[in-house]
Amino acid sequence: MMSYPTSHSARALPASYHKRSHCAFCESRDLVSIMDFGDVALAGGFLKEPQFASEEKFPMELYFCQQCSMVQLLDIVDPAVLFKNYFYFSSAISSLREHFGDYATECVSRFLDPEHATVVEIGCNDGILLKPLANQGVHTVIGVDPATNILETINDDRITLVNDFFGSRVAAQIRDSHGKADMIVANNVYAHIPDIRDVTQGVKDLLKDDGVFVFEVHYLGKILGGLQYDMIYHEHLYYYSLIALINHFKRFDMVVFDVKPIPIHAGSMRYHVCHAKSRHAKQISSRVSSLLEQERKAGYDKVETYVGFAQTINQRRDELMSLLSSLRRQGKRVVGYGASGRANTIIQYCGITHDHMEYMIDDAPAKWGYYTPGSHFLIQPNDKLVSDQPDYMLVFAWGYFNEIAAKCHGFLKAGGQMITPLPDIRVTYRPAV
């Protein structure tokens, strides 16, 4: 264990990268290294063949702060490199569309008077939540996102768009133009932000006295319990426990007043936060104290928990590579499904090469014709499975297993089999019904 992070590599690193020397939340330097992934290409850095030679790789190492219990990366890549031209379109996934429709209904019914409400979303992506909020009659709906290419796909006059990174500066601009917000939402982005204190300050400044900050993020407990190391990549700087979040919001005179486990992304948590003097703070849900007790019993505030996690992950890596090597020796053909950041972490950490797998399938047309970062697997549409009929499909998007199985009816009917890399290595054949 080490108490102070040092430079990961002697080689010259890109100007768009730097390594933080302290905890992003409490500024402590009492940090312990948990897992070192080595130098890896950016998980969302899909590219074309002429770009292979100039592709950059960055150190990636996971740390635990012994002062505030935050699990985090200290390897910071310039957000403009990560998010200005983004490939993740939430609306391409049907289960996400359904999820955010329900999310909008719950938020409006529980917290808002829609005819007079203002809602701001941080990292709105392609409007997957903003549109159902507008459908619910919310008066002012504002989306903030730095990805110009994704915002250009939102064609809805009911939605005001801000093409920028959210922070205290943008919060002040929104407040001056639209007043304070009744609700601020952030979904799968609150873990992406290098200057998390400035963003939290922006939320505090923009939120009305009785306003609510609701955000969803992948839950650390699911990462640990489900061995989901595939959630670790440069975009995801932080891996939140309730213990760490309570410590964080206390510094801003804010409190977590409710939590809600949700199954999306193979295990997320919806946190509800308010000002400490808000009416909501007087009615803190029993779910908060219950989850807090669970986390303390599970040792989420102890470094030994994370050391054991890393050791088990190494075992899973060895099991997966043993299976893929065995299939190769048998002359079997394997392709991947789901060209996501999660896939790229598994591929690069495990060392999956073209000796083990041939190409990648993805449902997002924007990715077709591109190659996966670092490993350079060509991304192709689903119908390639039927015309090519490989023997096995390694399902990197394993959290959507049933949805993928339904889409791959022809592949399975012809005798294809599916491999899941987590939480256990499994080979599954699903006969067509």
Side-chain angles (χ1 to χ4, degrees):
M1 297 191 304
M2 61 184 181
S3 59
Y4 185 85
T6 57
S7 176
H8 182 276
S9 175
R11 69 180 177 86
L13 292 167
S16 55
Y17 165 89
H18 72 276
K19 185 150 191 166
R20 205 192 305 267
S21 62
H22 56 268
C23 173
F25 294 80
C26 71
E27 297 194 303
S28 169
R29 298 195 178 201
D30 190 5
L31 296 154
V32 176
S33 175
I34 302 167
M35 290 182 68
D36 188 346
F37 290 80
D39 291 348
V40 297
L42 296 177
F46 301 97
L47 69 172
K48 292 292 184 75
E49 192 169 354
Q51 299 171 291
F52 288 178
S54 60
E55 184 179 31
E56 295 179 326
K57 293 188 176 183
F58 303 83
M60 191 171 79
E61 193 168 1
L62 190 67
Y63 288 85
F64 173 74
C65 177
Q66 297 196 97
Q67 290 299 311
C68 72
S69 300
M70 189 63 71
V71 178
Q72 59 198 288
L73 299 180
L74 302 181
D75 300 294
I76 312 299
V77 179
D78 186 344
V81 174
L82 291 172
F83 302 115
K84 277 297 186 181
N85 192 40
Y86 206 40
F87 279 86
Y88 186 81
F89 292 79
S90 299
S91 295
I93 303 172
S94 61
S95 57
L96 285 182
R97 294 195 299 272
E98 180 179 351
H99 167 73
F100 283 109
D102 293 342
Y103 187 166
T105 300
E106 179 178 313
C107 284
V108 171
S109 63
R110 185 175 177 187
F111 297 112
L112 300 176
D113 174 9
E115 292 183 4
H116 304 96
T118 295
V119 178
V120 177
E121 182 173 15
I122 303 169
C124 64
N125 198 256
D126 59 4
I128 193 171
L129 176 60
L130 296 178
K131 291 175 184 177
L133 284 171
N135 292 341
Q136 292 278 332
V138 175
H139 183 267
T140 303
V141 180
I142 302 169
V144 183
D145 201 293
T148 305
N149 65 313
I150 291 184
L151 287 189
E152 288 174 347
T153 68
I154 302 176
N155 184 21
D156 194 322
D157 293 339
R158 303 170 300 172
I159 299 171
T160 299
L161 298 173
V162 179
N163 188 194
D164 207 340
F165 291 96
F166 184 87
S168 57
R169 174 184 57 82
V170 170
Q173 293 172 355
I174 295 173
R175 186 184 60 214
D176 292 344
S177 300
H178 302 277
K180 289 192 172 185
D182 298 273
M183 177 177 288
I184 300 173
V185 291
N187 303 296
N188 304 301
V189 296
Y190 199 61
H192 294 52
I193 302 161
D195 195 349
I196 191 67
R197 289 182 298 166
D198 179 67
V199 167
T200 307
Q201 186 64 55
V203 169
K204 180 177 176 62
D205 293 344
L206 184 57
L207 204 61
K208 288 182 179 178
D209 290 348
D210 283 328
V212 177
F213 175 39
V214 184
F215 68 97
E216 288 183 355
V217 70
H218 203 83
Y219 179 48
L220 176 65
K222 290 295 184 180
I223 293 175
L224 296 175
L227 304 176
Q228 296 181 31
Y229 72 93
D230 55 338
M231 278 301 293
I232 302 169
Y233 45 94
H234 288 101
E235 290 174 21
H236 296 169
L237 293 172
Y238 317 121
Y239 304 86
Y240 291 118
S241 64
L242 178 60
I243 292 172
L245 280 169
I246 288 174
N247 290 335
H248 171 58
F249 285 114
K250 185 177 181 179
R251 301 183 196 100
F252 292 86
D253 201 25
M254 301 179 79
V255 297
V256 179
F257 69 90
D258 201 1
V259 294
K260 181 179 181 178
I262 49 177
I264 213 72
H265 298 303
S268 299
M269 190 70 70
R270 184 179 298 169
Y271 295 96
H272 302 75
V273 182
C274 64
H275 296 292
K277 295 182 180 179
S278 164
R279 62 184 174 87
H280 299 293
K282 299 174 183 177
Q283 298 178 328
I284 295 179
S285 169
S286 61
R287 290 183 288 267
V288 174
S289 57
S290 176
L291 182 61
L292 192 60
E293 182 180 2
Q294 290 175 33
E295 290 188 351
R296 285 175 175 156
K297 286 183 178 178
Y300 291 1
D301 54 351
K302 294 179 173 60
V303 70
E304 293 80 9
T305 301
Y306 303 98
V307 172
F309 167 75
Q311 292 171 343
T312 306
I313 292 308
N314 289 339
Q315 295 172 5
R316 287 292 186 278
R317 175 189 61 193
D318 294 345
E319 290 172 12
L320 178 60
M321 295 311 295
S322 176
L323 172 61
L324 294 178
S325 296
S326 174
L327 293 176
R328 176 192 176 192
R329 289 192 298 271
Q330 297 171 42
K332 303 297 184 181
R333 299 177 58 222
V334 180
V335 301
Y337 199 110
S340 64
R342 302 182 74 150
N344 292 325
T345 290
I346 294 174
I347 290 169
Q348 295 187 88
Y349 184 63
C350 292
I352 298 173
T353 70
H354 289 264
D355 288 336
H356 308 103
M357 194 173 81
E358 296 185 14
Y359 55 84
M360 183 74 78
I361 298 294
D362 197 90
D363 295 322
K367 295 179 184 177
W368 297 344
Y370 281 83
Y371 290 80
T372 56
S375 53
H376 303 161
F377 291 105
L378 179 62
I379 304 169
Q380 304 193 59
N382 186 298
D383 55 14
K384 176 71 173 179
L385 286 173
V386 178
S387 62
D388 189 44
Q389 195 56 43
D391 300 295
Y392 292 87
M393 183 172 68
L394 179 52
V395 183
F396 292 105
W398 54 272
Y400 300 99
F401 182 89
N402 291 333
E403 187 174 324
I404 291 170
K407 289 180 178 179
C408 299
H409 177 87
F411 166 76
L412 295 173
K413 185 177 181 181
Q417 299 189 60
M418 302 171 74
I419 302 169
T420 53
L422 289 171
D424 297 303
I425 316 300
R426 293 183 181 177
V427 179
T428 306
Y429 168 60
R430 286 197 158 197
V433 177

Short mmCIF file of all heavy atoms in Angstrom, two decimals, residues 31-74:
data_model
loop_
_atom_site.label_atom_id
_atom_site.label_comp_id
_atom_site.label_asym_id
_atom_site.label_seq_id
_atom_site.Cartn_x
_atom_site.Cartn_y
_atom_site.Cartn_z
N LEU A 31 -4.19 8.14 0.57
CA LEU A 31 -4.81 7.35 -0.48
C LEU A 31 -4.08 6.02 -0.66
O LEU A 31 -2.85 5.97 -0.60
CB LEU A 31 -4.79 8.12 -1.80
CG LEU A 31 -5.62 9.41 -1.81
CD1 LEU A 31 -5.07 10.38 -2.83
CD2 LEU A 31 -7.07 9.10 -2.10
N VAL A 32 -4.85 4.97 -0.90
CA VAL A 32 -4.27 3.64 -1.06
C VAL A 32 -4.63 3.10 -2.44
O VAL A 32 -5.79 3.14 -2.86
CB VAL A 32 -4.80 2.68 0.03
CG1 VAL A 32 -4.27 1.27 -0.20
CG2 VAL A 32 -4.42 3.17 1.42
N SER A 33 -3.65 2.59 -3.17
CA SER A 33 -3.88 2.00 -4.49
C SER A 33 -4.57 0.65 -4.34
O SER A 33 -4.13 -0.20 -3.57
CB SER A 33 -2.55 1.84 -5.23
OG SER A 33 -2.75 1.18 -6.46
N ILE A 34 -5.65 0.45 -5.11
CA ILE A 34 -6.41 -0.80 -5.07
C ILE A 34 -6.12 -1.66 -6.28
O ILE A 34 -5.79 -2.85 -6.17
CB ILE A 34 -7.93 -0.51 -5.02
CG1 ILE A 34 -8.28 0.35 -3.81
CG2 ILE A 34 -8.72 -1.80 -5.02
CD1 ILE A 34 -9.68 0.92 -3.88
N MET A 35 -6.27 -1.09 -7.48
CA MET A 35 -6.06 -1.82 -8.73
C MET A 35 -5.34 -0.94 -9.73
O MET A 35 -5.70 0.23 -9.90
CB MET A 35 -7.40 -2.27 -9.34
CG MET A 35 -8.12 -3.36 -8.60
SD MET A 35 -9.67 -3.84 -9.45
CE MET A 35 -9.03 -4.63 -10.93
N ASP A 36 -4.36 -1.51 -10.41
CA ASP A 36 -3.64 -0.79 -11.45
C ASP A 36 -3.94 -1.48 -12.78
O ASP A 36 -3.59 -2.64 -12.99
CB ASP A 36 -2.14 -0.81 -11.16
CG ASP A 36 -1.34 0.07 -12.10
OD1 ASP A 36 -1.90 0.49 -13.13
OD2 ASP A 36 -0.17 0.35 -11.81
N PHE A 37 -4.61 -0.76 -13.68
CA PHE A 37 -5.00 -1.31 -14.98
C PHE A 37 -3.92 -1.10 -16.04
O PHE A 37 -4.09 -1.53 -17.18
CB PHE A 37 -6.30 -0.66 -15.45
CG PHE A 37 -7.51 -1.07 -14.64
CD1 PHE A 37 -7.78 -0.49 -13.41
CD2 PHE A 37 -8.38 -2.04 -15.11
CE1 PHE A 37 -8.89 -0.86 -12.66
CE2 PHE A 37 -9.49 -2.42 -14.37
CZ PHE A 37 -9.74 -1.84 -13.14
N GLY A 38 -2.85 -0.42 -15.70
CA GLY A 38 -1.81 -0.14 -16.67
C GLY A 38 -2.19 1.02 -17.56
O GLY A 38 -3.08 1.82 -17.25
N ASP A 39 -1.54 1.13 -18.70
CA ASP A 39 -1.83 2.17 -19.68
C ASP A 39 -2.88 1.65 -20.65
O ASP A 39 -2.67 0.64 -21.33
CB ASP A 39 -0.57 2.56 -20.46
CG ASP A 39 0.44 3.30 -19.59
OD1 ASP A 39 0.06 3.71 -18.47
OD2 ASP A 39 1.59 3.46 -20.02
N VAL A 40 -4.03 2.32 -20.72
CA VAL A 40 -5.13 1.85 -21.55
C VAL A 40 -5.66 2.98 -22.42
O VAL A 40 -5.59 4.16 -22.07
CB VAL A 40 -6.28 1.28 -20.69
CG1 VAL A 40 -5.81 0.06 -19.92
CG2 VAL A 40 -6.83 2.32 -19.73
N ALA A 41 -6.21 2.60 -23.57
CA ALA A 41 -6.87 3.57 -24.45
C ALA A 41 -8.20 3.98 -23.81
O ALA A 41 -8.79 3.23 -23.03
CB ALA A 41 -7.10 2.96 -25.82
N LEU A 42 -8.67 5.16 -24.15
CA LEU A 42 -9.92 5.66 -23.57
C LEU A 42 -11.09 4.76 -23.96
O LEU A 42 -11.26 4.42 -25.13
CB LEU A 42 -10.18 7.09 -24.04
CG LEU A 42 -9.15 8.13 -23.58
CD1 LEU A 42 -9.48 9.49 -24.17
CD2 LEU A 42 -9.08 8.19 -22.05
N ALA A 43 -11.90 4.42 -22.99
CA ALA A 43 -12.98 3.45 -23.21
C ALA A 43 -13.98 3.93 -24.26
O ALA A 43 -14.58 3.11 -24.95
CB ALA A 43 -13.70 3.18 -21.89
N GLY A 44 -14.16 5.23 -24.39
CA GLY A 44 -15.09 5.76 -25.38
C GLY A 44 -14.40 6.27 -26.63
O GLY A 44 -15.03 6.91 -27.47
N GLY A 45 -13.12 5.97 -26.79
CA GLY A 45 -12.33 6.51 -27.88
C GLY A 45 -12.39 5.68 -29.14
O GLY A 45 -11.34 5.25 -29.67
N PHE A 46 -13.58 5.43 -29.68
CA PHE A 46 -13.73 4.65 -30.90
C PHE A 46 -13.06 5.39 -32.06
O PHE A 46 -13.08 6.62 -32.12
CB PHE A 46 -15.20 4.40 -31.18
CG PHE A 46 -15.88 3.65 -30.06
CD1 PHE A 46 -16.60 4.32 -29.09
CD2 PHE A 46 -15.77 2.28 -29.96
CE1 PHE A 46 -17.21 3.65 -28.04
CE2 PHE A 46 -16.37 1.58 -28.92
CZ PHE A 46 -17.08 2.26 -27.96
N LEU A 47 -12.48 4.65 -32.97
CA LEU A 47 -11.65 5.28 -33.98
C LEU A 47 -11.70 4.54 -35.30
O LEU A 47 -12.20 3.41 -35.39
CB LEU A 47 -10.21 5.39 -33.48
CG LEU A 47 -9.35 4.12 -33.30
CD1 LEU A 47 -7.92 4.52 -32.98
CD2 LEU A 47 -9.85 3.18 -32.21
N LYS A 48 -11.19 5.19 -36.34
CA LYS A 48 -11.07 4.59 -37.67
C LYS A 48 -9.63 4.12 -37.88
O LYS A 48 -8.70 4.56 -37.19
CB LYS A 48 -11.47 5.60 -38.74
CG LYS A 48 -12.96 5.97 -38.74
CD LYS A 48 -13.82 4.81 -39.15
CE LYS A 48 -15.30 5.18 -39.24
NZ LYS A 48 -15.63 5.97 -40.43
N GLU A 49 -9.43 3.25 -38.85
CA GLU A 49 -8.13 2.62 -39.05
C GLU A 49 -6.97 3.62 -39.22
O GLU A 49 -5.89 3.40 -38.66
CB GLU A 49 -8.20 1.67 -40.24
CG GLU A 49 -6.99 0.76 -40.36
CD GLU A 49 -7.19 -0.35 -41.37
OE1 GLU A 49 -8.31 -0.48 -41.90
OE2 GLU A 49 -6.23 -1.11 -41.63
N PRO A 50 -7.14 4.72 -39.95
CA PRO A 50 -6.02 5.66 -40.10
C PRO A 50 -5.57 6.29 -38.77
O PRO A 50 -4.47 6.85 -38.69
CB PRO A 50 -6.58 6.73 -41.04
CG PRO A 50 -7.66 6.03 -41.80
CD PRO A 50 -8.27 5.08 -40.82
N GLN A 51 -6.41 6.18 -37.73
CA GLN A 51 -6.08 6.78 -36.43
C GLN A 51 -5.31 5.83 -35.51
O GLN A 51 -4.89 6.24 -34.43
CB GLN A 51 -7.37 7.24 -35.73
CG GLN A 51 -8.15 8.29 -36.49
CD GLN A 51 -9.52 8.53 -35.86
OE1 GLN A 51 -10.41 7.69 -35.90
NE2 GLN A 51 -9.67 9.70 -35.26
N PHE A 52 -5.14 4.60 -35.92
CA PHE A 52 -4.50 3.61 -35.04
C PHE A 52 -3.12 4.09 -34.58
O PHE A 52 -2.77 3.97 -33.40
CB PHE A 52 -4.34 2.27 -35.75
CG PHE A 52 -5.62 1.50 -35.96
CD1 PHE A 52 -5.61 0.28 -36.64
CD2 PHE A 52 -6.83 1.97 -35.49
CE1 PHE A 52 -6.77 -0.44 -36.84
CE2 PHE A 52 -8.01 1.26 -35.69
CZ PHE A 52 -7.97 0.05 -36.37
N ALA A 53 -2.32 4.60 -35.50
CA ALA A 53 -0.93 4.93 -35.19
C ALA A 53 -0.82 6.08 -34.19
O ALA A 53 0.15 6.15 -33.42
CB ALA A 53 -0.18 5.28 -36.47
N SER A 54 -1.81 6.96 -34.16
CA SER A 54 -1.74 8.13 -33.28
C SER A 54 -2.57 7.96 -32.00
O SER A 54 -2.68 8.89 -31.20
CB SER A 54 -2.21 9.38 -34.02
OG SER A 54 -3.56 9.23 -34.46
N GLU A 55 -3.14 6.78 -31.81
CA GLU A 55 -3.98 6.55 -30.63
C GLU A 55 -3.17 6.69 -29.34
O GLU A 55 -2.07 6.16 -29.22
CB GLU A 55 -4.61 5.16 -30.69
CG GLU A 55 -5.58 4.88 -29.56
CD GLU A 55 -6.20 3.51 -29.66
OE1 GLU A 55 -5.54 2.59 -30.19
OE2 GLU A 55 -7.36 3.35 -29.23
N GLU A 56 -3.74 7.40 -28.38
CA GLU A 56 -3.06 7.62 -27.10
C GLU A 56 -3.60 6.67 -26.04
O GLU A 56 -4.77 6.28 -26.05
CB GLU A 56 -3.26 9.06 -26.64
CG GLU A 56 -2.60 10.08 -27.55
CD GLU A 56 -2.83 11.50 -27.09
OE1 GLU A 56 -3.92 11.78 -26.54
OE2 GLU A 56 -1.94 12.35 -27.30
N LYS A 57 -2.71 6.31 -25.12
CA LYS A 57 -3.10 5.51 -23.96
C LYS A 57 -2.72 6.26 -22.69
O LYS A 57 -1.77 7.03 -22.67
CB LYS A 57 -2.44 4.13 -24.01
CG LYS A 57 -2.92 3.26 -25.16
CD LYS A 57 -2.39 1.84 -25.07
CE LYS A 57 -2.98 0.98 -26.18
NZ LYS A 57 -2.53 -0.44 -26.08
N PHE A 58 -3.50 6.00 -21.64
CA PHE A 58 -3.36 6.74 -20.40
C PHE A 58 -3.29 5.79 -19.20
O PHE A 58 -3.96 4.75 -19.20
CB PHE A 58 -4.55 7.68 -20.20
CG PHE A 58 -4.77 8.66 -21.32
CD1 PHE A 58 -5.48 8.29 -22.46
CD2 PHE A 58 -4.29 9.96 -21.23
CE1 PHE A 58 -5.70 9.18 -23.48
CE2 PHE A 58 -4.50 10.87 -22.26
CZ PHE A 58 -5.20 10.49 -23.38
N PRO A 59 -2.53 6.12 -18.18
CA PRO A 59 -2.53 5.30 -16.96
C PRO A 59 -3.93 5.27 -16.34
O PRO A 59 -4.69 6.23 -16.48
CB PRO A 59 -1.54 6.03 -16.04
CG PRO A 59 -0.71 6.86 -16.95
CD PRO A 59 -1.60 7.26 -18.08
N MET A 60 -4.25 4.19 -15.67
CA MET A 60 -5.53 4.11 -14.96
C MET A 60 -5.34 3.26 -13.71
O MET A 60 -5.03 2.07 -13.79
CB MET A 60 -6.63 3.52 -15.85
CG MET A 60 -8.02 3.66 -15.23
SD MET A 60 -9.34 3.22 -16.37
CE MET A 60 -9.29 1.43 -16.27
N GLU A 61 -5.54 3.87 -12.55
CA GLU A 61 -5.31 3.21 -11.27
C GLU A 61 -6.39 3.63 -10.29
O GLU A 61 -6.71 4.81 -10.18
CB GLU A 61 -3.92 3.58 -10.75
CG GLU A 61 -3.43 2.72 -9.59
CD GLU A 61 -1.95 2.95 -9.32
OE1 GLU A 61 -1.32 3.78 -10.02
OE2 GLU A 61 -1.41 2.29 -8.41
N LEU A 62 -6.95 2.67 -9.58
CA LEU A 62 -8.05 2.91 -8.66
C LEU A 62 -7.52 3.07 -7.23
O LEU A 62 -6.68 2.29 -6.78
CB LEU A 62 -9.03 1.74 -8.71
CG LEU A 62 -10.37 1.90 -8.00
CD1 LEU A 62 -11.22 2.97 -8.70
CD2 LEU A 62 -11.13 0.56 -8.00
N TYR A 63 -8.05 4.09 -6.52
CA TYR A 63 -7.59 4.40 -5.17
C TYR A 63 -8.77 4.45 -4.19
O TYR A 63 -9.91 4.70 -4.57
CB TYR A 63 -6.89 5.76 -5.13
CG TYR A 63 -5.52 5.79 -5.78
CD1 TYR A 63 -5.38 5.97 -7.15
CD2 TYR A 63 -4.37 5.64 -5.01
CE1 TYR A 63 -4.13 5.99 -7.75
CE2 TYR A 63 -3.11 5.67 -5.61
CZ TYR A 63 -3.01 5.84 -6.97
OH TYR A 63 -1.76 5.87 -7.55
N PHE A 64 -8.43 4.27 -2.92
CA PHE A 64 -9.38 4.41 -1.82
C PHE A 64 -8.85 5.48 -0.87
O PHE A 64 -7.68 5.44 -0.47
CB PHE A 64 -9.51 3.08 -1.07
CG PHE A 64 -10.33 3.15 0.20
CD1 PHE A 64 -11.70 3.27 0.15
CD2 PHE A 64 -9.71 3.09 1.45
CE1 PHE A 64 -12.46 3.34 1.31
CE2 PHE A 64 -10.44 3.15 2.61
CZ PHE A 64 -11.83 3.26 2.55
N CYS A 65 -9.71 6.46 -0.53
CA CYS A 65 -9.31 7.51 0.40
C CYS A 65 -9.63 7.06 1.82
O CYS A 65 -10.79 6.80 2.16
CB CYS A 65 -10.06 8.81 0.09
SG CYS A 65 -9.69 10.14 1.28
N GLN A 66 -8.63 6.98 2.64
CA GLN A 66 -8.82 6.50 4.01
C GLN A 66 -9.41 7.56 4.94
O GLN A 66 -9.79 7.24 6.07
CB GLN A 66 -7.49 5.98 4.57
CG GLN A 66 -6.96 4.79 3.79
CD GLN A 66 -5.89 4.03 4.52
OE1 GLN A 66 -6.13 3.01 5.17
NE2 GLN A 66 -4.65 4.52 4.43
N GLN A 67 -9.55 8.79 4.46
CA GLN A 67 -10.16 9.84 5.27
C GLN A 67 -11.66 9.94 5.05
O GLN A 67 -12.42 10.04 6.01
CB GLN A 67 -9.50 11.19 4.95
CG GLN A 67 -8.07 11.30 5.43
CD GLN A 67 -7.96 11.17 6.94
OE1 GLN A 67 -8.70 11.82 7.70
NE2 GLN A 67 -7.05 10.32 7.40
N CYS A 68 -12.11 9.90 3.79
CA CYS A 68 -13.55 10.09 3.53
C CYS A 68 -14.21 8.87 2.87
O CYS A 68 -15.40 8.90 2.57
CB CYS A 68 -13.79 11.33 2.68
SG CYS A 68 -13.30 11.19 0.95
N SER A 69 -13.44 7.81 2.62
CA SER A 69 -13.93 6.53 2.08
C SER A 69 -14.35 6.59 0.61
O SER A 69 -15.04 5.68 0.13
CB SER A 69 -15.11 5.99 2.92
OG SER A 69 -14.72 5.78 4.25
N MET A 70 -13.94 7.62 -0.12
CA MET A 70 -14.29 7.70 -1.54
C MET A 70 -13.35 6.81 -2.35
O MET A 70 -12.13 6.84 -2.18
CB MET A 70 -14.20 9.14 -2.03
CG MET A 70 -14.76 9.33 -3.43
SD MET A 70 -16.54 8.97 -3.57
CE MET A 70 -17.23 10.37 -2.67
N VAL A 71 -13.94 6.03 -3.25
CA VAL A 71 -13.18 5.21 -4.19
C VAL A 71 -13.11 6.00 -5.50
O VAL A 71 -14.14 6.45 -6.02
CB VAL A 71 -13.86 3.85 -4.41
CG1 VAL A 71 -13.10 3.03 -5.43
CG2 VAL A 71 -13.95 3.10 -3.08
N GLN A 72 -11.92 6.14 -6.07
CA GLN A 72 -11.77 7.08 -7.17
C GLN A 72 -10.54 6.80 -8.02
O GLN A 72 -9.58 6.15 -7.56
CB GLN A 72 -11.65 8.51 -6.62
CG GLN A 72 -10.48 8.70 -5.68
CD GLN A 72 -10.60 9.95 -4.81
OE1 GLN A 72 -10.46 11.05 -5.31
NE2 GLN A 72 -10.88 9.75 -3.52
N LEU A 73 -10.58 7.30 -9.26
CA LEU A 73 -9.39 7.38 -10.09
C LEU A 73 -8.71 8.72 -9.84
O LEU A 73 -9.40 9.73 -9.66
CB LEU A 73 -9.75 7.27 -11.57
CG LEU A 73 -10.43 6.00 -12.05
CD1 LEU A 73 -10.70 6.11 -13.56
CD2 LEU A 73 -9.60 4.77 -11.76
N LEU A 74 -7.41 8.74 -9.86
CA LEU A 74 -6.66 9.99 -9.78
C LEU A 74 -6.13 10.39 -11.16
O LEU A 74 -5.57 11.47 -11.32
CB LEU A 74 -5.50 9.86 -8.79
CG LEU A 74 -5.87 9.49 -7.35
CD1 LEU A 74 -4.62 9.42 -6.49
CD2 LEU A 74 -6.86 10.48 -6.76
#
